[in-house]
Amino acid sequence: MKPDLLLKELYQKNTEELLGKNIKLCGWIRSARHQKTFSFLALNDGSVFHPFQVVIDDSLTDYQDLVSKLNTGCSVCVEGELVQSPGKGQSIEMKATNVTLLGACPEDYPLQKKRHSFEFLRSIAHLRPRTNTQGSVARVRSRLSFAAHRYLQERNFLYLQSPIITASDCEGAGELFQVTTLPLTNIPTTDDNKIDFKQDFFGKATYLTVSGQLNAESYACGLSKTYTFGPTFRAENSNTSRHIAEFWMIEPEVAFNDLSDNIDLAEDYLKYLINDILENCPEDLEFFDKFIEKGLIDRLQKIKDSSFERLSYTKAIDLLLNSKKSFQYEVKWGCDLQSEHERYIAEEVFKKPVVLTDYPKEIKAFYMRDNDDGKTVAAMDVLVPRIGELIGGSQREERLDVLEEKIKQTGMPVENYSWYMDLRKYGSVVHSGFGIGFERLVQFVTGIENIRDAIAFPRAPKTAEF
Ligand code: 4AD
Ligand code: MG
């Protein structure tokens, strides 16, 4: 049954090697042009952007009957000889000698050959991998994931699979999805009328993780260079084109790295990833450049060759205060930057990635290292044009007494973090790390406007289909 090779493998061979060969291919018909005595099929198996041209003629038995069923969306297996193509757009095509219709496709197939809105395609997320855009997004995303691992593995980072279910709130922002087996219609309570989590599956309140960082720190503080790359969950009720409730995050964590080493790593890593996609997904990028974001390839090329701007939060606030642009959200020292501020800095002021550092401690997570000024922490956010915040990270607080005080200030139960504090009690080291939002990275390299199109089956408020 199976094809001799995928289209990607076919396109990797040179024409001379292929001409005259008989091969078998399988895939879906993207479009078909039927004439009286011959037909052209654009076949794609999704392994590459460009479909492959298959020509059939009436020397095939039951030609008329066969082609009447060969329409957009149906699946076929074709066998035949590879010949030089007289048409433009391809150097070779197949002259089919055998065509098997695997699965017919009725006329109500929603992906007829025309442009569909992204919104509509989201409502048929199970079929959208057959579209040009989602096919390209899926291939770039897969390659990005491979390159993300590769960069770190080749530099001796250890891949840690951190837990999905956790009792700690890494970001301390309370945006947690509860995990429980308590009966929701009859929740057990304690004598003082609180939920009795002792009766819950884990004997305590547990959640889906918002970040693998705390566990990554444990491994970095023993195995030096580590990373996690997994799904993370946030119950943020924000319906923006940059937020989803389930997203993937790459989180490198490195012992003995200070903030500046951390920024160097983030910059080098991002450039490597961009370069990898430029080299390995040229056809998908050309498609995005033409139909999604004009000038995309040029933008990526420039970023790869640029050096990222480094700037303190305080200087960024000055820039915003002195700008002529009017913002929806008020700017003052101490405020959390909104996407409009981040994009203004990266897109309009510097026109390249900007690393902002040393944020006010009140707006950042408890684990970030206090700076000597008593007001700021050793935080770093990488802001990029079009997206805003792509990476968030910091140097970690390695001093036990300072960390304990910071946890207390959040009001979270200190006993949940006793293991985390042990990392400071026993052989503490300076260490740093960051998290790259993987879907935002996909948006960044493809130009895709809405994050819900950068992941196969998006999860967002009131959205958990498929
Ligand atoms: O800045 P964040 O919250 O940092 C952390 O979670 C740290 N624990 C990372 C670390 O230091 N190891 O999130 C990191 C990145 C953001 O910069 C953003 O790209 C992405 O994760 N992100 C989201 N992406 C999609 N939807 C959401 N709701 C996101 N929230 C954060
Ligand atoms: Mg952040």
Side-chain angles (χ1 to χ4, degrees):
M1 169 73 216
K2 72 182 177 70
D4 292 327
L5 73 186
L6 288 171
L7 283 181
K8 178 171 181 172
E9 294 153 354
L10 182 125
Y11 289 144
Q12 277 163 352
K13 297 185 190 293
N14 53 37
T15 314
E16 291 75 59
E17 199 186 331
L18 293 169
L19 284 175
K21 286 241 163 69
N22 267 291
I23 61 159
K24 179 155 92 175
L25 296 170
C26 295
W28 294 264
I29 293 183
R30 286 297 183 83
S31 63
R33 267 188 301 136
H34 301 308
Q35 267 133 24
K36 224 184 169 90
T37 56
F38 54 92
S39 291
F40 296 103
L41 308 179
L43 181 81
N44 205 336
D45 59 13
S47 62
V48 276
F49 182 80
H50 291 293
F52 185 70
Q53 177 151 291
V54 178
V55 187
I56 50 182
D57 64 30
D58 61 0
S59 62
L60 260 68
T61 40
D62 295 329
Y63 172 77
Q64 291 301 345
D65 182 49
L66 177 69
V67 295
S68 70
K69 294 180 199 131
L70 296 179
N71 50 8
T72 298
C74 75
S75 51
V76 290
C77 185
V78 292
E79 286 173 271
E81 189 189 343
L82 296 175
V83 297
Q84 211 134 33
S85 174
K88 48 178 207 257
Q90 68 271 327
S91 55
I92 54 168
E93 61 188 27
M94 176 189 283
K95 190 173 164 349
T97 45
N98 196 2
V99 176
T100 312
L101 176 67
L102 302 174
C105 190
E107 254 153 40
D108 62 353
Y109 180 54
L111 293 172
Q112 297 302 333
K113 203 174 184 282
K114 64 167 189 149
R115 271 194 133 182
H116 301 280
S117 74
F118 286 126
E119 210 164 13
F120 168 70
L121 291 175
R122 256 169 254 148
S123 76
I124 51 164
H126 57 307
L127 293 174
R128 69 177 181 166
R130 301 185 195 183
T131 62
N132 280 340
T133 307
Q134 268 312 308
S136 286
V137 169
R139 285 185 296 270
V140 168
R141 186 179 163 114
S142 171
R143 179 71 210 188
L144 263 179
S145 160
F146 175 70
H149 279 289
R150 185 175 180 169
Y151 175 92
L152 296 169
Q153 292 283 338
E154 286 180 353
R155 286 157 186 78
N156 300 311
F157 281 71
L158 179 132
Y159 176 30
L160 167 74
Q161 291 85 15
S162 52
I164 303 294
I165 299 174
T166 173
S168 21
D169 178 2
C170 174
E171 295 307 301
E175 295 162 337
L176 300 157
F177 286 102
Q178 186 117 27
V179 175
T180 180
T181 54
L182 290 177
L184 293 182
T185 46
N186 185 18
I187 298 173
T189 50
T190 56
D191 292 342
D192 52 354
N193 226 12
K194 295 211 171 95
I195 296 174
D196 186 7
F197 284 109
K198 285 216 169 58
Q199 295 188 44
D200 203 349
F201 189 93
F202 297 104
K204 57 163 86 166
T206 51
Y207 313 93
L208 293 179
T209 190
V210 295
S211 158
Q213 178 196 321
L214 304 188
N215 304 90
E217 281 187 59
S218 142
Y219 269 60
C221 294
L223 300 170
S224 296
K225 293 162 88 176
T226 62
Y227 71 105
T228 73
F229 184 1
T232 50
F233 308 86
R234 297 200 186 172
E236 279 173 278
N237 197 10
S238 36
N239 272 299
T240 78
S241 59
R242 311 278 177 264
H243 291 88
I244 34 176
E246 175 179 310
F247 64 98
W248 286 65
M249 191 157 39
I250 312 165
E251 296 184 90
E253 190 69 35
V254 186
F256 319 111
N257 265 12
D258 61 18
L259 189 68
S260 158
D261 301 319
N262 204 33
I263 300 172
D264 291 344
L265 175 64
E267 179 169 348
D268 192 54
Y269 195 15
L270 258 192
K271 288 179 180 171
Y272 173 93
L273 293 171
I274 291 171
N275 189 51
D276 185 278
I277 296 303
L278 283 168
E279 281 184 359
N280 293 293
C281 303
E283 285 145 15
D284 295 314
L285 285 190
E286 273 160 31
F287 167 76
F288 291 128
D289 195 305
K290 207 160 164 195
F291 293 106
I292 304 290
E293 182 199 335
K294 297 247 174 320
L296 169 76
I297 294 175
D298 188 47
R299 171 169 74 76
L300 294 177
Q301 206 83 45
K302 284 203 179 107
I303 289 171
K304 191 192 88 182
D305 302 331
S306 72
S307 69
F308 294 6
E309 192 69 32
R310 301 180 186 200
L311 193 74
S312 72
Y313 165 93
T314 303
K315 289 214 176 95
I317 291 292
D318 286 345
L319 266 177
L320 291 165
L321 287 173
N322 292 327
S323 109
K324 291 194 183 68
K325 199 177 170 95
S326 63
F327 298 106
Q328 193 190 341
Y329 292 88
E330 194 201 348
V331 176
K332 61 170 193 261
W333 199 94
C335 75
D336 209 353
L337 295 183
Q338 301 295 323
S339 170
E340 56 171 347
H341 309 133
E342 296 174 338
R343 290 186 61 175
Y344 170 75
I345 293 167
E347 235 161 85
E348 297 182 41
V349 182
F350 296 102
K351 301 185 171 61
K352 61 178 180 178
V354 179
V355 191
L356 289 195
T357 60
D358 307 298
Y359 283 70
K361 62 181 186 182
E362 280 73 24
I363 59 169
K364 287 292 182 188
F366 69 89
Y367 52 71
M368 297 192 182
R369 192 183 196 280
D370 276 1
N371 285 331
D372 293 341
D373 63 11
K375 293 191 296 198
T376 61
V377 285
M380 54 163 271
D381 275 9
V382 180
L383 317 179
V384 298
R386 294 177 64 90
I387 307 286
E389 180 190 338
L390 173 62
I391 300 181
S394 74
Q395 186 173 326
R396 317 307 187 189
E397 184 52 76
E398 86 285 8
R399 298 161 296 186
L400 180 61
D401 52 335
V402 184
L403 179 67
E404 185 168 0
E405 192 47 43
K406 287 174 72 103
I407 294 175
K408 279 188 186 142
Q409 277 167 12
T410 66
M412 296 188 297
V414 180
E415 53 292 0
N416 283 3
Y417 297 87
S418 64
W419 66 271
Y420 184 68
M421 289 192 290
D422 275 353
L423 306 174
R424 281 69 180 171
K425 188 170 163 195
Y426 308 115
S428 189
V429 288
V430 163
H431 62 289
S432 303
F434 56 83
I436 306 181
F438 193 58
E439 286 70 24
R440 290 192 191 175
L441 178 66
V442 172
Q443 285 185 281
F444 183 54
V445 299
T446 59
I448 285 289
E449 189 49 49
N450 193 315
I451 195 165
R452 296 178 193 201
D453 302 318
I455 184 167
F457 300 104
R459 303 291 181 240
K462 305 281 180 288
T463 305
E465 251 193 289
F466 308 105

